[in-house]
Amino acid sequence: MAAATTRKTAKKRARKASGTVEGPSSASSRKSLVIVESPAKANTIRKYLGPSYVVKASVGHVVDLPKNRLGIDVDRSFKPSYELIPGKEKVVRDLKAAARTAGRILLATDPDREGEAICQRLKELLAGRNREIYRVLFNEITPKAIRTAIETPGDINSNVVDAQQARRLLDRIVGYQVSPLLWDKVRRGISAGRVQTVALRLIVEREREIEAFRTEEYWRIAAKLEGHAPPAFEARLVKYQGANIAIPDESEAKRVVAALGGGDFRVQSVVRAERKRRPVAPFTTSKLQQDAARRFRFTVKRTMTLAQRLYEGKEVGSSGSVGLITYMRSDSTRVSDDAIAMARDYIGESYGRNYLPGKPVLYRSKKDAQDAHEAIRPTFVEHTPDSIQAYLTPEEHKLYWLIWTRFVASQMKPAVYDQTTVEIGSNGYLFRANGRVQKFDGFLKVYEEASDEDAAASADDQNVALPPLAEGELLRLLRITPTQHFTEPPPRYTEARLVKTLEEKGIGRPSTYAAILSTIQEREYTQKKDGKFRPTELGTVVTDQLVKHFADIFDVRYTARMEEELDEIEEGKMTWIEALEEFYGKFAKDLEEAKAHMENVKRQEIPTDEACEKCGKPMAIKWGQFGSFLACTGYPECANTKETGRDSAGDEDAAEAEIEPCPNCGRPMTLKRGRFGQFYACTGYPDCKTTRKIGAGDSPPRAPDVATDEPCPKCGHKLVIKDGRHGPFTACSNYPDCRYIKPKTIGVPCPNADCGGELSERRSRRGRPFYGCTNYPACEFVLWQRPIPEECPRCHAPYVLEKTTRKDGTFRYCNEEGCDFREPVEAA
């Protein structure tokens, strides 16, 4: 018996080592079960495999930490408690049923940390007696790649699983232990994140740099000159008597121009050189996100959604479903030999041998790159963007064109320029002119990287022809032009800039950037205006509190170091428990200090120079559920309050924000109104039924302000009617210098005795209208139904309420206890 068991085990090991694909004719005639993450990928792979394989999708993770508790035992080596994700019961039942009849199980989830972790949890769920479970890895969904992966299965990489688990536990510890602190001190429902907070910190600190920036004047002087042959050219003043020159104001500029008047302009040196501009490497994830944002204004989330579709497979004519690009989460620039050969063959045939380098172009990945799979590239170069355009949506085609052209260009010859630098002297002043003429376009025939700046490319990057010049040549001065300039503050972050900065500083991973950027907007920590991030008041308050009390944890360099430790875990140089112990030692101390000393923003009062218009006492800034507001320090004798106007600014910024296209089909979204208020819906309805609620920084274009004759009670300027996120409101035309907002009263005095306020229409965080006292928060009287300034005919209460239901229509009723007055309202 023991000998037979030994022989059986030896056969299994031999089969595993050889990677033989078991079909119906093999020792086990049962089908193999292949598990991938998404149904779309499953459909594509199913067509590549024969009847001996059953392909199922896990639809992402099947287990996770529990939602209602921490789920980590910090006292027992950070032991996690994983639970089945609600809603995944049917998926797991189907997978277990398929596993029971399978000859072997091939786990083929994505080739990254998340994919490896999914494999491990699936293995734990599906493992059974004598059940063979293997890990299958492929970087592209093509018949050859799938076949090769199936024939050479391996084992789950436990180090990669540990790295994913370490990241998940770190994020859970921060989120579940810091967020409740923010609920208590700032506002309920907000959150903190280990990487999210650092990204937000960058935005807040950049905004403060802009606010602190002081513009300085400076002048430039250019001379228009002409040599013995055309064309005329321009040279810029750069030095005086060998030192760099700075011209601070107009008087100095005039003095320099006067000193140059009448002097000779003579060529001192002419330097000619051939310069080469080399192609850039194929895309990594972050570079793809940046270039798509610059060229097409795609959000990071949109780019990754489109790339996922291209990777998982598209129906391409008679070819059927084809994975068009390699795996879209990669920070490697490595490309397989087969792909290089494919690109070189195409370049030689399509563009000519003069565009093809003598040998393949190789690119070095950055030091900390996870080089497990290739750069992002097309799976088949023969699938040109033009040839498959009919099978893609416009946005999919744009992204595929970007990936295809960058990859092909990466294997082409450099562009070649003749560059000339001329230095010209006059009365001790030195002028410089740069010229550049392209001799050979090289890779630029196919692709040119988009500029990282909002402005056009500098003159150094443009083709500017200079005339033939010689040393000692005397030039004719046509004119001297002084121009005034001003220094500019550092630019706000666009998505491309923020992704670039996060990558350069080693914060997070490109695969997490989409989630980070989405979260800081959904939490109302930032808004985007003209494509640039601005922190909200809430985002600034949260950042200040967290950075002050968790200086170690939310430090940029420390967060980058944590990413390095996760890489070390993946490489087997460090255990995940060691990483968590090192982190938690600092975090626990900071957490206890924050619990004891973090300021309670809800209770703080910030004195101002503004006087209360009712009693003359100073006003103070307080913090409420909807942000900051001004309140009289004479409370409770004087309960005067008013808004600071910051919320209206938020509405104004939001109204000018861009409306993102449908995340599922890419068609435009349109504004609609339903029973719960306004929302966005896809214009592709009924083919696409995507809807999206309106959030911060995400409102329809606003109407122009409407002037009124009413003066602002605060500064005397005229009030205007503005179009805000939740409808029109009246505010001072002198915004932002004056932030007065007129309460939208409805003619009903506040029912609370001795309050003296009026009821005004307000909006909840979700946009639902309610009616509260103008003396809030001193008076917290609230009604959800609209009060009508009519006396109740039965009990003589000063107002009645109006309500509309689907069953009864519109009716009015009395709010006083014991009064049964109720009558329908006839339609006008």
Side-chain angles (χ1 to χ4, degrees):
M1 182 67 178
T5 301
T6 302
R7 286 194 299 272
K8 186 175 180 180
T9 303
K11 287 181 180 179
K12 283 186 180 180
R13 288 176 178 168
R15 283 198 302 272
K16 180 177 177 181
S18 65
T20 304
V21 178
E22 293 185 347
S25 59
S26 61
S28 173
S29 61
R30 293 182 295 172
K31 295 182 178 182
S32 294
L33 172 62
V34 180
I35 302 177
V36 296
E37 285 186 47
S38 76
K41 190 196 293 189
N43 291 336
T44 303
I45 293 175
R46 193 176 290 117
K47 297 175 182 178
Y48 297 160
L49 300 176
S52 301
Y53 296 88
V54 174
V55 184
K56 296 280 187 179
S58 70
V59 197
H61 285 271
V62 292
V63 299
D64 197 5
L65 298 170
K67 279 193 173 184
N68 57 352
R69 55 191 174 89
L70 181 64
I72 304 169
D73 192 339
V74 296
D75 297 323
R76 296 178 59 194
S77 300
F78 303 95
K79 182 180 179 181
S81 299
Y82 292 110
E83 295 180 354
L84 192 65
I85 297 173
K88 287 297 183 73
E89 294 83 2
K90 184 178 184 302
V91 171
V92 172
R93 282 198 304 270
D94 290 347
L95 292 177
K96 286 184 175 180
R100 282 194 291 270
T101 60
R104 61 177 182 166
I105 301 172
L106 303 175
L107 304 175
T109 55
D110 290 345
D112 57 14
R113 288 175 183 168
E114 296 298 320
E116 207 73 14
I118 292 172
C119 286
Q120 180 62 33
R121 308 307 165 213
L122 287 172
K123 180 178 180 180
E124 293 167 1
L125 286 171
L126 303 179
R129 182 181 298 178
N130 299 326
R131 190 170 290 169
E132 300 178 18
I133 302 179
Y134 301 109
R135 174 68 163 124
V136 171
L137 286 167
F138 45 81
N139 189 49
E140 59 188 59
I141 303 177
T142 60
K144 180 181 178 181
I146 300 300
R147 184 168 55 252
T148 301
I150 294 292
E151 290 173 354
T152 56
D155 293 321
I156 295 171
N157 189 325
S158 60
N159 290 337
V160 178
V161 175
D162 288 346
Q164 187 277 341
Q165 179 166 265
R167 176 187 290 279
R168 184 72 184 97
L169 300 189
L170 285 169
D171 292 344
R172 170 56 69 99
I173 288 170
V174 173
Y176 270 53
Q177 297 198 3
V178 177
S179 296
L181 192 59
L182 293 177
W183 299 353
D184 182 49
K185 306 291 186 180
V186 183
R187 180 195 289 181
R188 287 197 63 82
I190 60 178
S191 69
R194 185 179 60 86
V195 180
Q196 157 199 320
T197 300
V198 177
L200 177 61
R201 178 180 183 177
L202 293 176
I203 295 171
V204 171
E205 290 178 347
R206 174 58 54 87
E207 193 68 21
R208 287 195 167 130
E209 288 178 39
I210 294 170
E211 291 172 354
F213 183 81
R214 296 292 176 264
T215 299
E216 294 182 3
E217 179 185 9
Y218 68 97
W219 287 70
R220 286 176 177 166
I221 294 178
K224 190 78 171 182
L225 302 167
E226 189 175 55
H228 69 276
F233 65 97
E234 194 171 82
R236 181 181 296 176
L237 177 63
V238 291
K239 291 185 178 183
Y240 177 65
Q241 295 184 346
N244 292 334
I245 189 169
I247 304 173
D249 50 40
E250 185 176 10
S251 61
E252 178 64 14
K254 289 180 177 179
R255 189 194 66 77
V256 172
V257 171
L260 289 165
D264 291 339
F265 284 78
R266 192 175 297 276
V267 177
Q268 291 188 353
S269 67
V270 180
V271 178
R272 296 183 177 90
E274 183 180 86
R275 301 287 186 223
K276 292 183 179 181
R277 182 178 173 186
R278 303 187 182 280
V280 287
F283 277 126
T284 60
T285 301
S286 68
K287 291 293 189 289
L288 176 62
Q289 292 167 351
Q290 293 171 52
D291 212 11
R294 296 184 196 119
R295 287 179 186 270
F296 309 128
R297 304 196 74 174
F298 287 173
T299 63
V300 171
K301 182 178 181 180
R302 186 76 191 137
T303 296
M304 297 309 292
T305 299
L306 295 169
Q308 182 90 28
R309 294 183 202 164
L310 297 175
Y311 166 68
E312 292 181 345
K314 301 291 295 184
E315 293 289 336
V316 180
S318 59
S319 302
S321 185
V322 177
L324 293 175
I325 64 171
T326 53
Y327 190 54
M328 65 285 169
R329 294 186 179 93
S330 172
D331 53 5
S332 169
T333 56
R334 180 180 61 82
V335 175
S336 69
D337 293 340
D338 289 345
I340 291 176
M342 179 173 58
R344 287 176 61 83
D345 289 344
Y346 181 87
I347 293 166
E349 294 172 6
S350 301
Y351 302 109
R353 307 298 297 181
N354 57 323
Y355 283 90
L356 190 65
K359 58 182 181 180
V361 183
L362 303 178
Y363 296 92
R364 182 180 299 173
S365 296
K366 62 179 184 176
K367 180 181 178 181
D368 58 344
Q370 299 171 21
D371 208 38
H373 36 264
E374 296 182 56
I376 305 170
R377 61 168 177 82
T379 54
F380 299 105
V381 173
E382 293 76 13
H383 284 149
T384 64
D386 290 342
S387 68
I388 63 171
Q389 184 173 2
Y391 307 106
L392 305 178
T393 67
E395 286 190 327
E396 289 170 347
H397 179 258
K398 286 180 180 178
L399 195 68
Y400 182 72
W401 172 86
L402 201 59
I403 294 168
W404 188 94
T405 54
R406 173 124 167 179
F407 171 64
V408 171
S410 71
Q411 288 300 318
M412 297 175 74
K413 281 186 175 180
V416 181
Y417 297 88
D418 277 337
Q419 184 167 304
T420 305
T421 301
V422 179
E423 292 190 342
I424 302 149
S426 177
N427 292 344
Y429 292 92
L430 181 71
F431 288 78
R432 183 175 294 146
N434 294 309
R436 190 176 75 163
V437 178
Q438 188 183 88
K439 291 171 59 179
F440 176 63
D441 56 0
F443 77 95
L444 294 175
K445 190 176 187 68
V446 177
Y447 170 87
E448 184 169 9
E449 191 173 20
S451 171
D452 191 43
E453 303 299 326
D454 293 338
S458 65
D460 292 340
D461 295 325
Q462 298 174 356
N463 291 330
V464 178
L466 292 179
L469 298 170
E471 288 187 20
E473 181 177 348
L474 185 64
L475 305 175
R476 185 164 73 92
L477 175 65
L478 300 179
R479 65 176 179 270
I480 295 179
T481 307
T483 54
Q484 183 185 36
H485 299 270
F486 295 94
T487 57
E488 295 183 355
R492 290 185 175 90
Y493 287 108
T494 60
E495 289 212 358
R497 274 202 193 99
L498 187 55
V499 165
K500 182 179 180 181
T501 302
L502 291 172
E503 183 183 34
E504 288 175 347
K505 293 182 179 294
I507 300 169
R509 283 290 177 217
S511 58
T512 67
Y513 292 159
I516 292 169
L517 269 57
S518 295
T519 300
I520 60 176
Q521 294 175 78
E522 290 167 1
R523 298 293 184 190
E524 301 183 2
Y525 293 155
T526 64
Q527 295 173 342
K528 265 201 301 185
K529 184 179 180 182
D530 300 327
K532 298 175 182 178
F533 285 104
R534 297 184 182 204
T536 62
E537 182 183 18
L538 175 63
T540 302
V541 168
V542 168
T543 300
D544 289 345
Q545 293 285 59
L546 293 180
V547 170
K548 179 178 180 181
H549 297 283
F550 295 89
D552 291 338
I553 305 306
F554 298 123
D555 177 71
V556 172
R557 284 174 293 183
Y558 181 76
T559 304
R561 172 57 191 152
M562 287 303 304
E563 294 297 334
E564 294 174 1
E565 290 190 1
L566 292 174
D567 292 342
E568 290 173 5
I569 295 170
E570 183 170 332
E571 295 164 4
K573 299 177 181 177
M574 185 179 195
T575 69
W576 67 272
I577 295 177
E578 288 173 344
L580 263 72
E581 285 176 343
E582 177 187 329
F583 170 83
Y584 199 75
K586 294 183 178 183
F587 176 75
K589 293 178 182 177
D590 287 347
L591 184 64
E592 290 305 312
E593 188 275 339
K595 287 179 179 178
H597 300 107
M598 182 181 283
E599 298 87 344
N600 192 323
V601 179
K602 294 179 180 179
R603 297 180 181 177
Q604 72 179 9
E605 293 186 11
I606 302 174
T608 71
D609 295 331
E610 186 170 348
C612 174
E613 62 265 27
K614 290 187 177 181
C615 72
K617 292 184 178 180
M619 302 287 281
I621 298 175
K622 293 187 177 183
W623 185 266
Q625 182 181 358
F626 304 107
S628 60
F629 63 94
L630 286 167
C632 181
T633 54
Y635 179 83
E637 289 78 13
C638 179
N640 182 31
T641 63
K642 57 184 177 180
E643 298 183 34
T644 62
R646 298 184 188 181
D647 290 340
S648 67
D651 277 342
E652 183 178 335
D653 287 348
E656 296 179 2
E658 303 148 14
I659 303 172
E660 294 178 7
C662 174
N664 291 323
C665 71
R667 284 176 280 202
M669 302 287 278
T670 186
L671 185 67
K672 292 193 174 183
R673 182 178 292 275
R675 60 182 297 202
F676 299 112
Q678 291 180 311
F679 64 95
Y680 287 119
C682 181
T683 55
Y685 181 87
D687 297 331
C688 179
K689 298 180 180 179
T690 301
T691 61
R692 180 159 57 88
K693 69 178 182 179
I694 296 177
D698 188 19
S699 291
R702 65 186 180 100
D705 296 345
V706 178
T708 72
D709 293 329
E710 184 179 355
C712 172
K714 184 175 179 181
C715 70
H717 284 73
K718 297 296 184 184
L719 297 182
V720 293
I721 300 174
K722 292 178 172 285
D723 184 15
R725 185 172 59 193
H726 301 304
F729 64 96
T730 303
C732 184
S733 59
N734 194 28
Y735 175 85
D737 294 332
C738 177
R739 298 176 178 266
Y740 173 77
I741 296 178
K742 182 181 178 181
K744 193 174 180 180
T745 57
I746 56 176
V748 177
C750 178
N752 280 348
D754 301 324
C755 171
E758 289 186 78
L759 297 187
S760 65
E761 183 177 339
R762 304 170 69 92
R763 293 274 175 173
S764 69
R765 289 181 62 197
R766 298 184 179 275
R768 181 182 175 187
F770 70 95
Y771 305 88
C773 182
T774 54
N775 286 336
Y776 175 85
C779 177
E780 297 183 349
F781 181 84
V782 169
L783 291 171
W784 286 105
Q785 307 303 329
R786 182 177 183 85
I788 306 298
E790 295 179 2
E791 186 178 90
C792 174
R794 294 193 183 173
C795 72
H796 305 291
Y799 65 92
V800 292
L801 301 182
E802 186 173 275
K803 185 176 182 179
T804 301
T805 66
R806 186 175 297 179
K807 178 182 177 182
D808 300 326
T810 302
F811 59 92
R812 291 177 180 173
Y813 66 99
C814 184
N815 195 42
E816 292 295 321
E817 187 175 354
C819 182
D820 59 357
F821 168 73
R822 173 184 172 122
E823 68 175 14
V825 177
E826 295 182 3

